[in-house]
């Protein structure tokens, strides 16, 4: 039986660097990505996209496109079933005569080549009626605002709550305690409006793409660049009711939480495959990824914050307006997570009243992204916390140490239920990171620079921020571990049957390390099945929310312990010693006290058969994580240019599984619409046309490798009651709290509050009164 209190000591693999299973194939170019893969008879699917932010199609003529040699299908809205709908609640037809954003799909084309498909798109003749558009959540809520979903969403407000997350009641309004009583106890009260509304994109290096093959009825075989085939299947079944999806994934060229379901690509491929009875590949270009794929949420909020004389947060009350873009795609779940992460930062506060509204606008749809909801809320709320800290003259490190969640504190998570934090205490981790960064020397007080150049033209400021997440135990997962004896000799191969994609962080290799550790076999003798694998693997939803370490690690360890117990039982009559005196060694079972008594696994397992262990994880939200982020920035007071000089991220991860993988997760907090969304990552919207002007990697600013600041980490290891190896994941939050730290550092360098994201040179110069 599994026992999380058992201590695994003298570890061979856990906590040590081991080369990833796919490392050699990646660096030699042997790894298969979806772009390398094709299916016999495959066609290529492309979408004609709306040039208008809001319009109706008055007429459409596809005759010329259909007549082009090599074109196999041209589909418009009348060709798709009425019940195929995008969004939650299902509301928007994939092809619709009512177009709601620049890039919305007007028609689908399948052709023998991409070039022919693109030529066919140019031959489709469309007459549009252009309609008024709204481009932010507050504007969409005005009584005179144009209605995007007449008869569906009154006032452009998408219904709150997400049933798959909130099975015991829909949740979008956080209400706890008595906020008025909390404000009465407060010595300092701040009320302001903030927004994080430029909707940057995580921008995975590999654009979204799928291959869809219709297998008859409502059965589809899907190959996808998804980081979670379980999510792909689940959300795909929402779009095509009654459908059955077999999903396979390859190596994923990064995802940053953004390449899960790829619903628009799936529906395009499915419709075209049904029409042509051939597989169809749908691959976005980089321009399409930037101008028509899922972005971060837009976030606007007015909040009132109360802080006591003792430095504790007493009450938080306000309204959070969330911009979903044209389609709400599990966005209600992001709101639930954001509200939960607010309470993790303010873990000692018991008085909360944050209402929310999810608004439809004529912008690119918002969707799943790393920092799911929490980053968008925290980017605003943290700046308000800073205003209150400044009013109270409290060092932010001391504020976070006082207020951050610890063992026994309660919080409402995205399921709408009240949870209690497990045995965690992040004060030592916060302090250790502050000490390693040199916060005591860098922090000079609110609005005070840590250094000014002799000519007074440049100044430096330090900033810090913090964030936590409790999705680490989210969703049910299961796995099988199978021991397969070799035909020759007494060694065995161990196979992990689990649906886990490889999207960059090395999770598959880390799970192999856990198997090798518990079964005491060489790491080289452990392998994993391919993710998805025709749905023959046990169920797993996918990697997101930092859940992989716990929700995959726990079932893997349980399955290995199940195997160990079976082997001990099989060995008992042969060794004639009780199981609690046995150990696994050299692909066999040995008596601890009489090592000469040994039996090989091969002689315990019936010839030509395998021995199988099973493990599962059941959802829990009681384990909150923590990431504290320190940085020093230099601002050119004449040009407004800001440069990040050095960064330090700190956490307590329970137990390090692989140090290099962990370090890479921390480094990942720089880009992917996280830290740099405070400086230059943004969707630049032309409010006259609704078009994204940053549609390539020249206009959409991304930090190149030669601009990376000095990066350091502070990592503590305090075992937590998570699973056998007492570890937790932190990848979800390594960048999600960083943008407010940049804004704080800019304020401390310049002495003026800069609240507009991103803080471009123009924004800073305007705040300084120089333009």
């Amino acid at each position: 039986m599994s026992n999380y209190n058992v201590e695994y000591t003298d570890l061979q693999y856990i906590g040590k660097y081991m080369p990833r299973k796919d490392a050699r194939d990646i660096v030699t170019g042997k790894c298969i990505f979806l772009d390398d893969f094709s299916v016999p008879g495959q066609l290529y699917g492309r979408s004609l996209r709306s040039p208008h932010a809001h319009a109706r199609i008055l007429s459409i003529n596809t005759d010329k496109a259909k007549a082009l040699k090599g074109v196999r299908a041209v589909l418009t809205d009348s060709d798709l079933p009425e019940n195929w709908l995008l969004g939650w609640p299902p509301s928007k037809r994939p092809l619709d005569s009512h177009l709601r954003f620049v890039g919305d799909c007007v028609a689908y084309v399948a052709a023998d080549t991409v070039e022919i498909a693109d030529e066919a798109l140019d031959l489709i003749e469309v007459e549009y009626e252009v309609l008024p558009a709204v481009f932010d959540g507050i504007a969409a809520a005005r009584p005179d605002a144009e209605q995007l979903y007449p008869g569906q969403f009154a006032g452009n407000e998408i219904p709150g709550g997400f049933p798959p997350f909130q099975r015991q009641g829909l949740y979008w309004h956080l209400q706890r305690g008595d906020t008025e009583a909390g404000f009465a106890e407060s010595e300092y009260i701040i009320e302001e409006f903030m927004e994080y509304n430029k909707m940057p994109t995580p921008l995975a290096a590999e654009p979204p793409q799928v291959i869809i093959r219709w297998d008859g009825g409502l059965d589809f075989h899907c190959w996808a660049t998804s980081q979670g085939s379980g999510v792909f299947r689940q959300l795909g079944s929402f779009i095509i009711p009654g459908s059955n999806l077999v999903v396979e994934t390859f190596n994923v060229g990064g995802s940053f939480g953004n390449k899960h379901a790829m619903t628009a690509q799936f529906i395009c491929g499915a419709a075209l495959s049904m029409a042509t009875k051939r597989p169809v590949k749908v691959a976005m270009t980089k321009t399409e990824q930037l101008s028509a794929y899922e972005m971060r949420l837009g976030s606007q909020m007015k909040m009132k914050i109360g802080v006591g004389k003792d430095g504790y947060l007493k009450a938080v009350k306000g309204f959070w307006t969330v911009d979903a873009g044209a389609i709400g795609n599990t966005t209600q779940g992001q709101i639930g997570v954001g509200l939960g992460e607010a309470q993790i930062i303010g873990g000692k506060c018991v008085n909360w009243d944050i209402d929310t509204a999810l608004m439809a606008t004529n912008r690119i749809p918002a969707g799943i992204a790393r920092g799911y909801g929490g980053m968008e809320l925290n980017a605003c709320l943290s700046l308000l916390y800073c205003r209150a800290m400044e009013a109270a003259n409290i060092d932010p490190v001391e504020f976070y140490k006082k207020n951050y969640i610890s063992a026994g504190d309660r919080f409402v998570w995205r399921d709408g239920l009240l949870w209690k934090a497990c045995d965690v205490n992040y004060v030592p981790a916060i302090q250790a990171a502050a000490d390693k960064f040199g916060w005591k020397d860098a922090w000079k007080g609110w609005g005070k620079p840590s250094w000014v150049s002799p000519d007074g033209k440049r100044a430096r400021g330090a900033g810090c921020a913090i964030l936590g997440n409790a999705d680490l135990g989210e969703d049910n997962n299961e796995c099988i571990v199978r021991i397969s004896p070799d035909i020759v000799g007494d060694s065995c191969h161990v196979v992990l049957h689990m649906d886990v994609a490889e999207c960059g962080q090395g999770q598959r290799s880390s799970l192999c390390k856990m198997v090798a550790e518990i079964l005491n076999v060489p790491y080289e003798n452990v392998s994993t099945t391919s993710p998805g694998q025709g749905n023959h693997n046990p169920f797993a939803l996918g990697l997101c929310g930092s859940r992989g370490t716990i929700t995959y690690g726990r079932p893997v360890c349980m399955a290995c312990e199940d195997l160990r117990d079976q082997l001990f039982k099989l060995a008992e009559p042969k060794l004639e010693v009780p199981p609690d005196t046995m150990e696994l060694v050299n692909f066999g079972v040995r008596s601890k006290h009489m090592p000469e008594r040994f039996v090989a696994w091969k002689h315990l397992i019936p010839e030509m058969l395998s021995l199988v262990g099973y493990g599962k994880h059941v959802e829990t939200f009681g384990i909150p994580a923590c990431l504290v982020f320190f940085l020093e920035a230099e601002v050119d007071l004449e040009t407004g240019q800001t440069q990040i000089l050095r960064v330090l991220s700190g956490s307590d991860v329970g137990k390090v599984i692989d140090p290099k993988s962990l370090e890479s997760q921390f480094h990942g907090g720089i880009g992917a619409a996280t830290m740099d969304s405070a400086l230059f990552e943004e969707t630049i919207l032309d409010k006259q046309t609704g078009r994204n002007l940053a549609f390539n990697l020249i206009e959409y600013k991304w930090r190149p490798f030669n601009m990376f600041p000095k990066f350091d980490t502070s990592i503590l290891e305090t075992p937590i009651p998570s699973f056998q190896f007492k570890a937790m994941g932190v990848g979800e939050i390594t960048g999600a709290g960083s943008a407010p730290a940049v804004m704080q550092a800019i304020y401390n360098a310049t002495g003026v509050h800069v609240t507009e994201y991103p803080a471009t040179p123009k924004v800073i110069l305007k705040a300084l009164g120089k333009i």
Side-chain angles (χ1 to χ4, degrees), residues 21 39 154 185 309 317 500 592 618 676 745:
K21 292 285 185 177
V39 178
E185 297 175 14
K309 188 180 295 185
K317 182 176 183 177
V500 52
K592 294 179 182 178
V618 178
D676 281 337

Side-chain angles (χ1 to χ4, degrees), residues 537-588:
N537 280 323
F539 176 79
L541 194 73
L543 295 173
C544 43
S546 291
R547 72 192 65 176
T549 300
I550 295 174
T551 68
Y552 284 79
R554 178 180 288 168
V556 166
C557 292
M558 288 178 67
C560 290
E561 291 172 337
D562 182 15
L563 278 172
R564 180 196 62 200
D565 294 345
Q566 291 182 58
L567 289 165
F568 286 173
K569 186 174 181 180
L570 290 169
E572 189 171 5
K574 295 181 179 294
L575 300 183
E576 297 181 332
V577 297
D580 60 359
T581 66
M582 297 179 191
E583 60 184 355
L584 302 178
V585 62
N586 296 330
F587 301 107

Side-chain angles (χ1 to χ4, degrees), residues 593-612:
H593 307 302
M594 292 178 284
E596 68 278 4
R597 296 193 181 187
F598 172 89
V599 58
W601 295 350
K602 188 171 184 176
H603 301 303
L604 296 174
I605 302 171
E607 187 175 357
M608 307 303 291
L609 298 181
S610 299
L611 194 66
V612 175

Side-chain angles (χ1 to χ4, degrees), residues 28-278:
T28 59
K30 291 182 179 179
C31 265
I32 299 297
F33 294 83
L34 189 59
D35 198 52
D36 304 312
F37 183 78
S38 60
V39 178
Q42 171 183 296
L43 299 172
Y44 295 87
R46 299 284 289 144
S47 297
L48 179 66
R49 299 186 179 278
S50 171
H52 305 294
H54 198 195
R56 290 190 184 276
I57 297 175
L58 299 178
S59 66
I60 184 167
N61 188 323
T62 61
D63 291 344
K64 293 179 182 178
K66 289 178 178 178
L68 184 66
K69 184 178 180 180
V71 171
R72 305 301 174 180
V74 180
L75 305 180
T76 62
D77 64 323
S78 61
D79 297 306
L80 267 61
E82 292 286 340
N83 67 338
W84 287 21
L85 296 170
L86 298 171
W88 189 269
S91 52
K92 185 185 182 304
R93 303 196 67 212
L95 294 177
D96 198 336
S97 60
H98 187 173
L99 303 166
R100 295 176 176 88
F101 67 99
V102 173
D104 204 351
C105 291
V106 174
Y108 298 148
V109 171
D112 292 344
T113 68
V114 173
E115 291 76 16
I116 294 173
D118 283 339
E119 186 178 351
L121 295 180
D122 291 336
L123 297 175
I124 299 174
E125 299 170 347
V126 187
E127 182 183 359
Y128 301 97
E129 176 193 5
V130 179
L131 303 173
V134 290
F135 297 120
D136 71 72
I138 291 177
R142 292 174 184 147
D144 60 346
E146 186 75 7
Q147 298 300 293
L148 274 65
Y149 291 87
Q152 288 180 283
F153 304 152
N156 292 319
E157 184 170 354
I158 300 171
F162 188 51
F165 282 4
Q166 297 146 7
R167 299 178 182 89
Q168 298 186 41
L170 299 183
Y171 167 63
W172 64 87
H173 186 175
L174 170 62
Q175 292 178 294
R176 290 178 56 199
D178 184 340
T179 53
E180 294 311 310
F183 288 124
E185 297 175 14
S186 301
E187 184 76 11
Y188 310 97
I189 297 175
I190 298 294
E191 185 171 14
E192 287 189 37
F193 172 83
M194 293 285 181
E195 64 180 355
Y196 178 82
N197 209 34
K198 298 299 178 62
M199 298 176 76
T201 171
L203 199 61
E206 175 195 48
Q209 51 185 298
V210 300
I211 300 172
I212 310 295
R213 186 185 69 207
W214 177 54
D215 288 341
L218 289 177
D219 294 343
F220 299 92
H221 198 114
C222 313
W223 295 265
T225 60
S226 172
Q227 72 179 75
S229 63
V231 177
F232 193 103
R233 287 198 303 273
Q234 185 183 65
L235 295 185
S237 67
F238 291 163
I239 299 168
I240 304 181
S243 61
N244 175 47
L245 277 60
V246 172
V247 183
E248 296 190 50
T249 67
F250 298 87
N251 293 276
V252 180
S255 175
F256 315 132
N258 198 224
K259 283 159 51 181
H260 276 287
M262 296 175 285
T263 50
Q265 292 70 41
F266 162 65
I267 204 77
C268 175
L272 290 171
S273 185
M274 291 185 76
T276 61
K277 299 179 176 57
R278 290 170 63 177

Side-chain angles (χ1 to χ4, degrees), residues 370 375 627 629 666 668-670 674-675 731-739:
R370 182 182 180 199
M375 176 172 176
L627 195 290
F629 197 91
F666 276 87
I670 294 288
T674 54
M675 184 190 82
E732 176 82 351
I733 55 174
T734 54
S738 52

Side-chain angles (χ1 to χ4, degrees), residues 605-685:
I605 302 171
E607 187 175 357
M608 307 303 291
L609 298 181
S610 299
L611 194 66
V612 175
Y614 172 79
K616 66 180 179 181
H617 166 82
V618 178
E619 183 173 86
T620 180
F621 294 118
I623 306 172
C626 174
L627 195 290
V628 62
F629 197 91
F630 293 90
L631 61 84
E632 188 173 26
E634 182 174 296
V635 181
D636 188 314
L637 302 175
E638 292 193 331
T639 67
Q641 189 73 38
T642 300
Q643 180 183 1
I644 305 297
L645 301 177
R646 60 190 182 104
V647 171
L648 182 139
S649 289
S651 184
D652 190 324
V653 300
K655 175 65 181 175
V656 174
I657 302 298
D658 186 283
K660 287 191 179 293
S661 294
L662 181 62
E663 183 181 8
S664 295
Q665 291 279 57
F666 276 87
H667 287 180
I670 294 288
T674 54
M675 184 190 82
D676 281 337
S677 64
L679 291 176
F680 42 71
E681 287 190 45
E682 64 173 323
T683 300
I684 302 173
L685 185 72

Side-chain angles (χ1 to χ4, degrees), residues 459-603:
R460 296 175 184 173
C464 75
I466 199 166
L467 192 67
N469 178 279
D471 271 348
L472 286 74
E474 180 181 8
D475 294 315
N476 300 340
N477 281 346
E478 61 181 352
C479 81
I480 291 170
V481 178
R482 177 171 57 89
I483 296 175
S484 178
D486 293 344
I487 295 175
V488 178
D490 284 343
S491 64
C492 300
H493 197 83
V494 184
V495 182
L496 169 58
H497 296 254
M498 197 170 201
D499 189 356
V500 52
E502 183 50 74
C503 48
Q505 66 269 62
Q507 189 70 62
R508 290 164 63 83
S509 296
S510 291
L511 295 173
C512 287
K513 290 171 67 172
M514 297 179 194
V515 173
E517 196 72 69
I518 294 178
L519 295 181
N520 195 19
V521 298
Y523 173 70
E524 295 76 16
N525 285 63
V526 183
S527 63
T528 57
T529 54
S530 297
Q533 198 68 15
N535 293 10
H536 297 310
N537 280 323
F539 176 79
L541 194 73
L543 295 173
C544 43
S546 291
R547 72 192 65 176
T549 300
I550 295 174
T551 68
Y552 284 79
R554 178 180 288 168
V556 166
C557 292
M558 288 178 67
C560 290
E561 291 172 337
D562 182 15
L563 278 172
R564 180 196 62 200
D565 294 345
Q566 291 182 58
L567 289 165
F568 286 173
K569 186 174 181 180
L570 290 169
E572 189 171 5
K574 295 181 179 294
L575 300 183
E576 297 181 332
V577 297
D580 60 359
T581 66
M582 297 179 191
E583 60 184 355
L584 302 178
V585 62
N586 296 330
F587 301 107
V589 182
R590 182 175 69 184
S591 166
K592 294 179 182 178
H593 307 302
M594 292 178 284
E596 68 278 4
R597 296 193 181 187
F598 172 89
V599 58
W601 295 350
K602 188 171 184 176
H603 301 303

